[in-house]
Amino acid sequence: MSTKIQLSFGVRQYAIADGCTDNLLFNELPMALYSYLQEIEVTADGVYTLRRDDTSYQVGLFNSSVVYDIGSGRIYYPSAEQDQSAR
């Protein structure tokens, strides 16, 4: 089964067939966000989108997404139902 994810880092955008790799996550994400994903047992196979802009990183998971605010270092879930900080 082939999966495809979309990656967007500012003006750089990628579409990766066969999913994401742990190496890519380690290299592209801030260590705090990468460590948090490991703590909640998210592997690269569970990542469907990665987006980065000037203010944040957003990791799209199967049924939610996690955001890392670059300025504050805060990790949170952006949905209204889960508007509590992860950290």
Side-chain angles (χ1 to χ4, degrees):
M1 179 175 157
S2 178
T3 58
K4 185 187 264 187
I5 64 165
Q6 285 293 124
L7 304 177
S8 176
F9 291 96
V11 294
R12 297 182 310 174
Q13 294 188 8
Y14 309 93
I16 298 180
D18 297 326
C20 189
T21 67
D22 284 317
N23 225 12
L24 177 70
L25 295 179
F26 181 80
N27 289 333
E28 295 291 342
L29 297 179
M31 187 51 65
L33 180 55
Y34 179 78
S35 296
Y36 178 73
L37 292 175
Q38 285 187 315
E39 286 176 22
I40 62 171
E41 298 181 0
V42 170
T43 63
D45 291 339
V47 173
Y48 293 90
T49 60
L50 289 177
R51 290 192 178 98
R52 183 191 186 280
D53 59 27
D54 292 340
T55 61
S56 65
Y57 288 81
Q58 183 172 352
V59 180
L61 307 175
F62 176 69
N63 60 358
S64 66
S65 60
V66 177
V67 175
Y68 174 84
D69 183 281
I70 295 170
S72 68
R74 184 175 146 220
I75 298 171
Y76 63 95
Y77 296 89
S79 68
E81 301 88 46
Q82 293 179 301
D83 198 22
Q84 298 179 5
S85 292
R87 280 205 171 174

